Amino acid sequence: MEITKDIIYVGVNDHDVDLFEGHYIVPEGMAYNSYLINDEKVAVMDSVDCHFTDEWLGNIKAVLGDRTPDYLVVQHMEPDHSGSIRGFMEAFPQACVVSSQKAFTMMKNFFEGEEYADRRVVVGEGVVLDLGAHKLNFVAAPMVHWPEVVMTYDSTDKVLFSADGFGKFGALDKCGETGADDDDWACEARRYYFGIVGKYGMQVQAVLKKAAKLDIQTICPLHGPVLMEDLGYYIGLYDTWSSYGSESKGVVISYTSVYGNTKKAVELLAEKLEAKGVPEVVVNDLARSDIAECVEDGFRYDTQVFATTTFNNDIFPFMKEYIHHLTERNYQKKNVAFMENGSWAPTAAKTMKAMLEGCKELNYAENGVKIVSALNDESRAQIEALAEELAALYK
Ligand code: FEO
């Protein structure tokens, strides 16, 4: 696939990975993107996962014919991109690796001491690599989402190679069982962002400020589709996500329920919120949903209701894990309410609030819901009061 006249896609699709990064379900597979810049000097932008080395080298050779690459630019050392560096360096013994100093240190650790001392070009912020017509300008992007990351701007074709930034889950050939051509970029890009990059909002903001000074016409990420049109939309979403703003107005109710009584309370609250005109109401059963989907909803909506039970003098494990996912990603700037259930000592709301203690700018609802085993008139009245209070946020 041609991105521009000189920039060709040479990445691969993975439909075999069970959990991406050992963590995330990817029902539509995963793409490990790589790009070749065909100029007086030939540069390949990043390698791919080690299970696809041969296919990737085949893609490069198919583009180049008798020519060979001069550079392998390594923007990020996580193994989904660095796994084929050694294969590349063996296949093209005249080529050099271009990367940050930190990346070479990581190479040494990943590759049993190999750090390509005689075949390396160390780059960082402000360094330019001249390929001929194309000049590659390196932009340091530390902690987006690893410390060694650099992004690369091709000032000739106005292309930003954005490393993991602007990536998404999903292969590009759409041959997975659940693949769909009308795939919504934001859905899987948001789950990817909050799962993988979400903790590093401040660092993403710093890179967005640098990117704002560049004339970018195309974004080539390491995962997901190449972005060529309406770049303001994608950059705007990244700005919202990385500044911990709320993308959507609405209430997400995140709950666990042991025997269904908390679930009944949650359903009643959801019904009332909808009836009172809350723009969007989303209900997530934390025990039966992909946790990464729940986390993205937690960051997406401006209001969240946490509903769970007291369990072992603590809270139900799925809720505990969920709140931990939020707080480690700097959860902040939300309206928050609690529903608790306990058959003899309901203390879940207190525990949840304590877990959120370090989060900035949480606006706690005055009303809460306390269920003692099952709904009764008192708890139904509390649900009505909470629904009224939350609905008022949207009037
Ligand atoms: Fe796509 Fe951070 O690796």
Side-chain angles (χ1 to χ4, degrees):
M1 179 176 83
E2 244 183 41
I3 313 297
T4 68
K5 181 173 70 64
D6 298 334
I7 301 178
I8 297 107
Y9 183 85
V10 289
V12 298
N13 291 297
D14 183 354
H15 289 286
D16 297 326
V17 61
D18 61 342
L19 289 174
F20 177 65
E21 293 192 358
H23 192 154
Y24 300 97
I25 57 165
V26 280
E28 294 185 10
M30 204 63 203
Y32 310 122
N33 295 343
S34 171
Y35 308 90
L36 187 150
I37 307 175
N38 208 351
D39 201 342
E40 286 167 34
K41 298 276 188 188
V42 173
V44 175
M45 304 301 294
D46 291 293
S47 86
V48 299
D49 182 275
C50 64
H51 297 97
F52 297 87
T53 307
D54 290 344
E55 182 183 341
W56 174 63
L57 292 176
N59 291 348
I60 293 169
K61 287 172 185 169
V63 173
L64 287 178
D66 292 337
R67 294 186 74 196
T68 54
D70 299 279
Y71 301 116
L72 174 63
V73 177
V74 174
Q75 300 185 110
H76 179 24
M77 272 301 295
E78 199 163 7
D80 51 332
H81 311 294
S82 65
S84 297
I85 292 175
R86 287 211 278 194
F88 179 97
M89 296 302 272
E90 283 164 22
F92 304 112
Q94 78 300 333
C96 290
V97 185
V98 179
S99 198
S100 67
Q101 184 60 57
K102 278 199 175 74
F104 283 110
T105 305
M106 288 183 177
M107 258 175 245
K108 192 174 176 183
N109 296 331
F110 272 117
F111 304 152
E112 299 183 59
E114 180 60 85
E115 53 182 335
Y116 301 107
D118 303 326
R119 299 172 64 188
R120 60 157 68 177
V121 178
V122 179
V123 295
E125 183 77 27
V127 173
V128 178
L129 182 68
D130 193 341
L131 302 180
H134 295 262
K135 321 288 176 202
L136 300 184
N137 301 261
F138 294 97
V139 178
M143 298 319 298
V144 181
H145 62 121
W146 276 28
E148 84 295 2
V149 173
V150 288
M151 296 183 183
T152 309
Y153 177 64
D154 174 354
S155 49
T156 306
D157 283 356
K158 305 191 188 316
V159 173
L160 178 69
F161 297 93
S162 58
D164 274 342
F166 300 95
K168 72 182 273 292
F169 296 122
L172 296 180
D173 54 1
K174 306 291 182 191
C175 67
E177 282 180 9
T178 55
D181 287 337
D182 59 352
D183 185 32
D184 169 17
W185 182 87
C187 179
E188 284 293 71
R190 189 190 301 106
R191 186 168 72 97
Y192 177 95
Y193 176 85
F194 283 110
I196 293 171
V197 190
K199 180 179 176 62
Y200 304 106
M202 195 192 293
Q203 290 83 353
V204 174
Q205 282 282 304
V207 171
L208 288 178
K209 282 194 177 68
K210 293 189 208 177
K213 294 178 188 154
L214 304 172
D215 177 9
I216 299 168
Q217 289 178 5
T218 303
I219 297 175
C220 289
L222 286 175
H223 303 289
V226 172
L227 307 174
M228 295 179 165
E229 288 168 12
D230 201 10
L231 297 189
Y233 166 74
Y234 304 106
I235 292 169
L237 280 179
Y238 255 63
D239 188 32
T240 300
W241 298 342
S242 58
S243 59
Y244 302 97
S246 295
E247 181 188 338
S248 304
K249 285 191 179 303
V251 179
V252 56
I253 310 175
S254 308
Y255 80 97
T256 65
S257 188
V258 189
Y259 291 109
N261 287 306
T262 310
K263 182 179 180 178
K264 279 183 192 158
V266 161
E267 286 170 346
L268 182 60
L269 176 66
E271 223 172 82
K272 286 179 180 291
L273 291 171
E274 279 168 3
K276 290 175 191 296
V278 170
E280 210 174 334
V281 180
V282 174
V283 176
N284 286 331
D285 177 347
L286 299 176
R288 294 175 179 81
S289 309
D290 169 30
I291 193 78
E293 286 278 359
C294 300
V295 168
E296 75 162 279
D297 281 344
F299 282 95
R300 176 178 184 173
Y301 295 98
D302 57 357
T303 300
Q304 180 154 212
V305 178
F306 296 88
T308 196
T309 48
T310 303
F311 183 83
N312 282 342
N313 203 27
D314 201 323
I315 54 173
F316 208 58
F318 295 99
M319 178 60 83
K320 193 167 182 175
E321 186 193 347
Y322 175 61
I323 295 179
H324 178 70
H325 278 291
L326 296 181
T327 54
E328 72 177 355
R329 289 169 173 78
N330 296 321
Y331 185 70
Q332 56 184 276
K333 299 183 187 171
K334 305 290 180 194
N335 306 306
V336 166
F338 301 109
M339 302 172 81
E340 62 181 350
N341 194 348
S343 291
W344 64 94
T347 54
K350 190 175 156 201
T351 306
M352 289 188 282
K353 193 168 181 184
M355 286 184 75
L356 293 167
E357 198 168 47
C359 300
K360 290 186 280 188
E361 296 182 58
L362 296 187
N363 172 35
Y364 291 102
E366 282 178 21
N367 290 282
V369 177
K370 186 186 290 283
I371 304 150
V372 185
S373 298
L375 279 173
N376 58 20
D377 285 348
E378 195 178 343
S379 47
R380 282 190 197 95
Q382 291 169 356
I383 289 172
E384 171 63 24
L386 177 59
E388 196 60 40
E389 182 182 353
L390 297 183
L393 297 170
Y394 302 94
K395 284 184 177 144

Short mmCIF file of all heavy atoms in Angstrom, two decimals, residues 82-136:
data_model
loop_
_atom_site.label_atom_id
_atom_site.label_comp_id
_atom_site.label_asym_id
_atom_site.label_seq_id
_atom_site.Cartn_x
_atom_site.Cartn_y
_atom_site.Cartn_z
N SER A 82 9.92 -4.34 18.15
CA SER A 82 11.37 -4.57 18.09
C SER A 82 11.70 -6.04 17.83
O SER A 82 12.86 -6.39 17.62
CB SER A 82 12.02 -4.14 19.41
OG SER A 82 11.56 -4.96 20.48
N GLY A 83 10.67 -6.89 17.79
CA GLY A 83 10.90 -8.33 17.72
C GLY A 83 11.61 -8.82 16.47
O GLY A 83 12.11 -9.95 16.44
N SER A 84 11.67 -8.01 15.43
CA SER A 84 12.32 -8.47 14.19
C SER A 84 13.57 -7.67 13.85
O SER A 84 14.09 -7.76 12.73
CB SER A 84 11.32 -8.39 13.02
OG SER A 84 10.23 -9.25 13.26
N ILE A 85 14.07 -6.89 14.81
CA ILE A 85 15.30 -6.10 14.54
C ILE A 85 16.45 -7.04 14.18
O ILE A 85 17.17 -6.83 13.20
CB ILE A 85 15.68 -5.24 15.77
CG1 ILE A 85 14.64 -4.14 16.00
CG2 ILE A 85 17.07 -4.61 15.58
CD1 ILE A 85 14.87 -3.32 17.26
N ARG A 86 16.62 -8.08 14.97
CA ARG A 86 17.76 -8.98 14.72
C ARG A 86 17.64 -9.65 13.35
O ARG A 86 18.62 -9.79 12.63
CB ARG A 86 17.86 -10.02 15.83
CG ARG A 86 18.38 -9.40 17.11
CD ARG A 86 19.17 -10.36 17.93
NE ARG A 86 18.29 -11.20 18.72
CZ ARG A 86 18.71 -11.96 19.73
NH1 ARG A 86 19.99 -12.00 20.03
NH2 ARG A 86 17.87 -12.69 20.40
N GLY A 87 16.42 -10.04 13.00
CA GLY A 87 16.20 -10.67 11.69
C GLY A 87 16.56 -9.70 10.57
O GLY A 87 17.17 -10.08 9.55
N PHE A 88 16.20 -8.44 10.73
CA PHE A 88 16.49 -7.41 9.73
C PHE A 88 18.00 -7.22 9.61
O PHE A 88 18.55 -7.17 8.50
CB PHE A 88 15.82 -6.10 10.16
CG PHE A 88 16.05 -4.93 9.23
CD1 PHE A 88 15.11 -4.60 8.26
CD2 PHE A 88 17.20 -4.14 9.34
CE1 PHE A 88 15.30 -3.51 7.42
CE2 PHE A 88 17.40 -3.05 8.50
CZ PHE A 88 16.45 -2.74 7.53
N MET A 89 18.68 -7.12 10.74
CA MET A 89 20.12 -6.84 10.71
C MET A 89 20.91 -8.01 10.13
O MET A 89 21.98 -7.82 9.54
CB MET A 89 20.60 -6.49 12.13
CG MET A 89 19.98 -5.21 12.68
SD MET A 89 20.28 -3.76 11.63
CE MET A 89 21.84 -3.21 12.32
N GLU A 90 20.37 -9.21 10.29
CA GLU A 90 21.02 -10.37 9.66
C GLU A 90 20.74 -10.39 8.16
O GLU A 90 21.61 -10.70 7.35
CB GLU A 90 20.51 -11.66 10.31
CG GLU A 90 21.13 -11.93 11.67
CD GLU A 90 20.39 -12.96 12.49
OE1 GLU A 90 19.65 -13.78 11.90
OE2 GLU A 90 20.53 -12.93 13.73
N ALA A 91 19.51 -10.04 7.79
CA ALA A 91 19.13 -10.08 6.36
C ALA A 91 19.82 -8.97 5.57
O ALA A 91 20.11 -9.14 4.38
CB ALA A 91 17.62 -9.94 6.24
N PHE A 92 20.08 -7.82 6.23
CA PHE A 92 20.67 -6.67 5.53
C PHE A 92 21.93 -6.23 6.27
O PHE A 92 21.91 -5.23 7.04
CB PHE A 92 19.65 -5.54 5.44
CG PHE A 92 18.36 -5.94 4.78
CD1 PHE A 92 17.18 -6.00 5.51
CD2 PHE A 92 18.32 -6.27 3.42
CE1 PHE A 92 15.99 -6.37 4.91
CE2 PHE A 92 17.13 -6.64 2.81
CZ PHE A 92 15.96 -6.70 3.56
N PRO A 93 23.05 -6.93 6.08
CA PRO A 93 24.23 -6.69 6.91
C PRO A 93 24.88 -5.31 6.73
O PRO A 93 25.71 -4.91 7.54
CB PRO A 93 25.19 -7.81 6.51
CG PRO A 93 24.62 -8.45 5.31
CD PRO A 93 23.18 -8.10 5.21
N GLN A 94 24.48 -4.57 5.71
CA GLN A 94 25.05 -3.23 5.52
C GLN A 94 24.20 -2.16 6.19
O GLN A 94 24.60 -1.00 6.23
CB GLN A 94 25.19 -2.93 4.01
CG GLN A 94 23.91 -2.52 3.29
CD GLN A 94 22.81 -3.59 3.34
OE1 GLN A 94 23.09 -4.78 3.45
NE2 GLN A 94 21.58 -3.16 3.30
N ALA A 95 23.07 -2.54 6.74
CA ALA A 95 22.14 -1.53 7.28
C ALA A 95 22.52 -1.12 8.70
O ALA A 95 23.18 -1.87 9.43
CB ALA A 95 20.72 -2.07 7.26
N CYS A 96 22.09 0.08 9.08
CA CYS A 96 22.30 0.59 10.44
C CYS A 96 20.96 0.73 11.16
O CYS A 96 19.94 0.96 10.52
CB CYS A 96 22.93 1.99 10.41
SG CYS A 96 24.63 1.98 9.86
N VAL A 97 21.02 0.65 12.48
CA VAL A 97 19.83 0.94 13.29
C VAL A 97 19.88 2.40 13.71
O VAL A 97 20.93 2.89 14.15
CB VAL A 97 19.78 0.07 14.57
CG1 VAL A 97 18.47 0.32 15.32
CG2 VAL A 97 19.91 -1.39 14.24
N VAL A 98 18.76 3.08 13.58
CA VAL A 98 18.65 4.48 13.98
C VAL A 98 17.68 4.53 15.15
O VAL A 98 16.52 4.12 15.03
CB VAL A 98 18.09 5.33 12.81
CG1 VAL A 98 17.95 6.79 13.23
CG2 VAL A 98 18.98 5.19 11.57
N SER A 99 18.16 5.01 16.29
CA SER A 99 17.28 5.00 17.45
C SER A 99 17.83 5.90 18.55
O SER A 99 18.93 6.44 18.43
CB SER A 99 17.13 3.57 17.95
OG SER A 99 15.99 3.47 18.77
N SER A 100 17.05 6.03 19.63
CA SER A 100 17.50 6.85 20.75
C SER A 100 18.52 6.06 21.58
O SER A 100 18.58 4.83 21.52
CB SER A 100 16.30 7.23 21.62
OG SER A 100 15.76 6.08 22.24
N GLN A 101 19.29 6.80 22.37
CA GLN A 101 20.29 6.14 23.23
C GLN A 101 19.61 5.14 24.17
O GLN A 101 20.09 4.03 24.38
CB GLN A 101 21.04 7.21 24.03
CG GLN A 101 22.16 6.66 24.90
CD GLN A 101 23.23 5.94 24.08
OE1 GLN A 101 23.82 6.52 23.17
NE2 GLN A 101 23.45 4.66 24.37
N LYS A 102 18.47 5.54 24.71
CA LYS A 102 17.76 4.64 25.64
C LYS A 102 17.33 3.36 24.93
O LYS A 102 17.32 2.28 25.52
CB LYS A 102 16.53 5.36 26.21
CG LYS A 102 16.82 6.28 27.37
CD LYS A 102 15.55 6.56 28.16
CE LYS A 102 15.83 7.38 29.40
NZ LYS A 102 16.12 8.78 29.14
N ALA A 103 16.97 3.49 23.66
CA ALA A 103 16.53 2.30 22.92
C ALA A 103 17.70 1.32 22.75
O ALA A 103 17.53 0.10 22.83
CB ALA A 103 15.97 2.69 21.56
N PHE A 104 18.90 1.87 22.52
CA PHE A 104 20.06 0.97 22.36
C PHE A 104 20.36 0.24 23.66
O PHE A 104 20.76 -0.93 23.66
CB PHE A 104 21.28 1.75 21.85
CG PHE A 104 21.19 2.05 20.38
CD1 PHE A 104 20.99 3.35 19.93
CD2 PHE A 104 21.27 1.03 19.44
CE1 PHE A 104 20.89 3.64 18.58
CE2 PHE A 104 21.16 1.31 18.07
CZ PHE A 104 20.97 2.61 17.65
N THR A 105 20.15 0.91 24.78
CA THR A 105 20.33 0.23 26.08
C THR A 105 19.32 -0.91 26.20
O THR A 105 19.66 -2.01 26.65
CB THR A 105 20.12 1.25 27.23
OG1 THR A 105 21.02 2.33 27.02
CG2 THR A 105 20.38 0.62 28.59
N MET A 106 18.09 -0.65 25.77
CA MET A 106 17.07 -1.70 25.84
C MET A 106 17.40 -2.85 24.89
O MET A 106 17.18 -4.02 25.21
CB MET A 106 15.70 -1.12 25.49
CG MET A 106 15.14 -0.22 26.58
SD MET A 106 13.48 0.34 26.14
CE MET A 106 13.07 1.27 27.60
N MET A 107 17.94 -2.50 23.71
CA MET A 107 18.32 -3.55 22.75
C MET A 107 19.30 -4.51 23.39
O MET A 107 19.19 -5.73 23.27
CB MET A 107 18.98 -2.91 21.52
CG MET A 107 18.06 -2.81 20.34
SD MET A 107 18.83 -1.91 18.99
CE MET A 107 17.78 -0.48 18.93
N LYS A 108 20.28 -3.94 24.08
CA LYS A 108 21.29 -4.76 24.74
C LYS A 108 20.63 -5.73 25.71
O LYS A 108 21.01 -6.91 25.80
CB LYS A 108 22.25 -3.82 25.49
CG LYS A 108 23.52 -4.45 25.98
CD LYS A 108 24.40 -3.35 26.57
CE LYS A 108 25.65 -3.96 27.17
NZ LYS A 108 26.50 -2.95 27.80
N ASN A 109 19.63 -5.25 26.42
CA ASN A 109 18.97 -6.11 27.40
C ASN A 109 18.04 -7.13 26.75
O ASN A 109 17.96 -8.27 27.19
CB ASN A 109 18.17 -5.24 28.39
CG ASN A 109 19.08 -4.35 29.21
OD1 ASN A 109 20.23 -4.70 29.46
ND2 ASN A 109 18.59 -3.19 29.60
N PHE A 110 17.37 -6.72 25.70
CA PHE A 110 16.46 -7.66 25.02
C PHE A 110 17.24 -8.69 24.20
O PHE A 110 16.79 -9.82 24.04
CB PHE A 110 15.52 -6.91 24.07
CG PHE A 110 14.24 -6.42 24.72
CD1 PHE A 110 13.95 -5.06 24.81
CD2 PHE A 110 13.31 -7.32 25.24
CE1 PHE A 110 12.77 -4.61 25.39
CE2 PHE A 110 12.13 -6.88 25.82
CZ PHE A 110 11.86 -5.52 25.91
N PHE A 111 18.38 -8.29 23.64
CA PHE A 111 19.08 -9.12 22.65
C PHE A 111 20.41 -9.67 23.16
O PHE A 111 21.40 -9.69 22.42
CB PHE A 111 19.31 -8.34 21.35
CG PHE A 111 18.06 -7.77 20.72
CD1 PHE A 111 18.11 -6.63 19.94
CD2 PHE A 111 16.81 -8.38 20.89
CE1 PHE A 111 16.96 -6.10 19.36
CE2 PHE A 111 15.67 -7.85 20.32
CZ PHE A 111 15.74 -6.71 19.55
N GLU A 112 20.44 -10.07 24.42
CA GLU A 112 21.61 -10.75 24.98
C GLU A 112 22.92 -10.00 24.71
O GLU A 112 23.89 -10.57 24.22
CB GLU A 112 21.71 -12.18 24.43
CG GLU A 112 20.51 -13.03 24.80
CD GLU A 112 20.64 -14.45 24.31
OE1 GLU A 112 21.60 -15.13 24.69
OE2 GLU A 112 19.78 -14.86 23.51
N GLY A 113 22.92 -8.72 24.96
CA GLY A 113 24.16 -7.94 24.84
C GLY A 113 24.34 -7.26 23.50
O GLY A 113 25.22 -6.41 23.35
N GLU A 114 23.53 -7.60 22.51
CA GLU A 114 23.69 -6.98 21.17
C GLU A 114 23.14 -5.56 21.18
O GLU A 114 21.97 -5.34 21.50
CB GLU A 114 22.93 -7.82 20.13
CG GLU A 114 23.02 -7.28 18.72
CD GLU A 114 24.46 -7.20 18.20
OE1 GLU A 114 24.95 -8.21 17.68
OE2 GLU A 114 25.08 -6.11 18.33
N GLU A 115 24.00 -4.60 20.86
CA GLU A 115 23.52 -3.21 20.81
C GLU A 115 24.02 -2.51 19.55
O GLU A 115 23.98 -1.30 19.45
CB GLU A 115 23.98 -2.45 22.07
CG GLU A 115 25.47 -2.53 22.31
CD GLU A 115 25.89 -1.82 23.58
OE1 GLU A 115 25.19 -0.90 24.00
OE2 GLU A 115 26.94 -2.18 24.13
N TYR A 116 24.50 -3.27 18.59
CA TYR A 116 24.89 -2.76 17.27
C TYR A 116 25.84 -1.56 17.38
O TYR A 116 25.63 -0.53 16.74
CB TYR A 116 23.63 -2.42 16.44
CG TYR A 116 22.76 -3.64 16.28
CD1 TYR A 116 21.56 -3.77 16.96
CD2 TYR A 116 23.18 -4.71 15.47
CE1 TYR A 116 20.79 -4.92 16.85
CE2 TYR A 116 22.40 -5.87 15.36
CZ TYR A 116 21.23 -5.96 16.05
OH TYR A 116 20.47 -7.09 15.95
N ALA A 117 26.89 -1.73 18.18
CA ALA A 117 27.84 -0.63 18.42
C ALA A 117 28.43 -0.08 17.12
O ALA A 117 28.67 1.13 17.01
CB ALA A 117 28.94 -1.12 19.36
N ASP A 118 28.67 -0.93 16.13
CA ASP A 118 29.29 -0.48 14.88
C ASP A 118 28.28 -0.19 13.78
O ASP A 118 28.65 0.14 12.65
CB ASP A 118 30.26 -1.56 14.36
CG ASP A 118 31.32 -1.89 15.39
OD1 ASP A 118 31.71 -0.96 16.13
OD2 ASP A 118 31.72 -3.07 15.47
N ARG A 119 27.02 -0.38 14.10
CA ARG A 119 26.00 -0.22 13.05
C ARG A 119 24.84 0.61 13.59
O ARG A 119 23.69 0.26 13.43
CB ARG A 119 25.50 -1.60 12.59
CG ARG A 119 26.59 -2.48 12.01
CD ARG A 119 26.06 -3.89 11.76
NE ARG A 119 25.00 -3.90 10.75
CZ ARG A 119 24.27 -4.99 10.49
NH1 ARG A 119 24.46 -6.12 11.15
NH2 ARG A 119 23.33 -4.94 9.56
N ARG A 120 25.16 1.68 14.25
CA ARG A 120 24.09 2.45 14.88
C ARG A 120 24.22 3.94 14.59
O ARG A 120 25.30 4.48 14.40
CB ARG A 120 24.11 2.25 16.39
CG ARG A 120 25.42 2.70 17.03
CD ARG A 120 25.24 3.02 18.49
NE ARG A 120 24.95 1.85 19.31
CZ ARG A 120 24.82 1.90 20.64
NH1 ARG A 120 24.95 3.06 21.27
NH2 ARG A 120 24.58 0.85 21.33
N VAL A 121 23.07 4.58 14.57
CA VAL A 121 23.01 6.04 14.51
C VAL A 121 22.11 6.45 15.68
O VAL A 121 20.94 6.04 15.74
CB VAL A 121 22.39 6.53 13.18
CG1 VAL A 121 22.31 8.06 13.18
CG2 VAL A 121 23.18 6.03 11.98
N VAL A 122 22.68 7.20 16.62
CA VAL A 122 21.89 7.62 17.78
C VAL A 122 21.21 8.95 17.45
O VAL A 122 21.87 9.90 17.00
CB VAL A 122 22.78 7.78 19.03
CG1 VAL A 122 21.95 8.24 20.23
CG2 VAL A 122 23.49 6.46 19.34
N VAL A 123 19.91 9.00 17.65
CA VAL A 123 19.17 10.23 17.35
C VAL A 123 18.34 10.65 18.57
O VAL A 123 18.13 9.87 19.49
CB VAL A 123 18.24 10.06 16.13
CG1 VAL A 123 19.04 9.81 14.87
CG2 VAL A 123 17.21 8.95 16.37
N GLY A 124 17.88 11.86 18.54
CA GLY A 124 17.02 12.39 19.60
C GLY A 124 16.40 13.68 19.11
O GLY A 124 16.49 14.01 17.91
N GLU A 125 15.79 14.39 20.02
CA GLU A 125 15.08 15.63 19.70
C GLU A 125 15.93 16.56 18.82
O GLU A 125 17.08 16.86 19.15
CB GLU A 125 14.74 16.35 21.00
CG GLU A 125 13.94 17.62 20.85
CD GLU A 125 12.47 17.34 20.55
OE1 GLU A 125 11.96 16.28 20.96
OE2 GLU A 125 11.85 18.19 19.90
N GLY A 126 15.38 16.95 17.70
CA GLY A 126 16.03 17.94 16.85
C GLY A 126 17.01 17.36 15.84
O GLY A 126 17.46 18.07 14.94
N VAL A 127 17.36 16.10 15.95
CA VAL A 127 18.30 15.51 14.99
C VAL A 127 17.56 15.24 13.68
O VAL A 127 16.38 14.86 13.67
CB VAL A 127 18.89 14.19 15.55
CG1 VAL A 127 19.73 13.48 14.50
CG2 VAL A 127 19.71 14.48 16.80
N VAL A 128 18.26 15.45 12.55
CA VAL A 128 17.64 15.22 11.24
C VAL A 128 18.45 14.15 10.51
O VAL A 128 19.69 14.19 10.46
CB VAL A 128 17.64 16.53 10.40
CG1 VAL A 128 17.04 16.28 9.02
CG2 VAL A 128 16.87 17.63 11.14
N LEU A 129 17.77 13.19 9.95
CA LEU A 129 18.41 12.15 9.13
C LEU A 129 18.03 12.43 7.68
O LEU A 129 16.85 12.43 7.33
CB LEU A 129 17.93 10.76 9.56
CG LEU A 129 18.56 9.58 8.83
CD1 LEU A 129 20.04 9.42 9.19
CD2 LEU A 129 17.82 8.27 9.17
N ASP A 130 19.05 12.63 6.85
CA ASP A 130 18.83 13.02 5.46
C ASP A 130 18.83 11.76 4.59
O ASP A 130 19.83 11.07 4.48
CB ASP A 130 19.97 13.97 5.04
CG ASP A 130 19.66 14.66 3.73
OD1 ASP A 130 18.79 14.17 2.98
OD2 ASP A 130 20.30 15.70 3.45
N LEU A 131 17.68 11.50 3.96
CA LEU A 131 17.60 10.32 3.09
C LEU A 131 17.79 10.70 1.62
O LEU A 131 17.83 9.82 0.76
CB LEU A 131 16.23 9.64 3.24
CG LEU A 131 15.84 9.16 4.65
CD1 LEU A 131 14.45 8.53 4.62
CD2 LEU A 131 16.86 8.18 5.21
N GLY A 132 17.86 11.99 1.35
CA GLY A 132 17.92 12.48 -0.03
C GLY A 132 16.84 13.53 -0.16
O GLY A 132 16.98 14.65 0.34
N ALA A 133 15.74 13.17 -0.79
CA ALA A 133 14.61 14.10 -0.86
C ALA A 133 13.91 14.22 0.50
O ALA A 133 13.37 15.26 0.85
CB ALA A 133 13.61 13.63 -1.91
N HIS A 134 13.91 13.15 1.25
CA HIS A 134 13.20 13.13 2.54
C HIS A 134 14.15 13.41 3.70
O HIS A 134 15.25 12.85 3.75
CB HIS A 134 12.55 11.76 2.76
CG HIS A 134 11.47 11.47 1.77
ND1 HIS A 134 10.14 11.66 2.04
CD2 HIS A 134 11.53 11.05 0.48
CE1 HIS A 134 9.42 11.35 0.97
NE2 HIS A 134 10.25 10.97 0.01
N LYS A 135 13.72 14.30 4.58
CA LYS A 135 14.49 14.60 5.80
C LYS A 135 13.66 14.11 6.99
O LYS A 135 12.52 14.55 7.16
CB LYS A 135 14.72 16.11 5.95
CG LYS A 135 15.02 16.88 4.67
CD LYS A 135 16.38 16.60 4.10
CE LYS A 135 16.56 17.34 2.76
NZ LYS A 135 17.61 16.72 1.92
N LEU A 136 14.24 13.24 7.77
CA LEU A 136 13.52 12.73 8.94
C LEU A 136 13.92 13.52 10.17
O LEU A 136 15.09 13.54 10.56
CB LEU A 136 13.83 11.24 9.14
CG LEU A 136 13.44 10.32 7.97
CD1 LEU A 136 13.70 8.86 8.34
CD2 LEU A 136 11.98 10.51 7.56
#
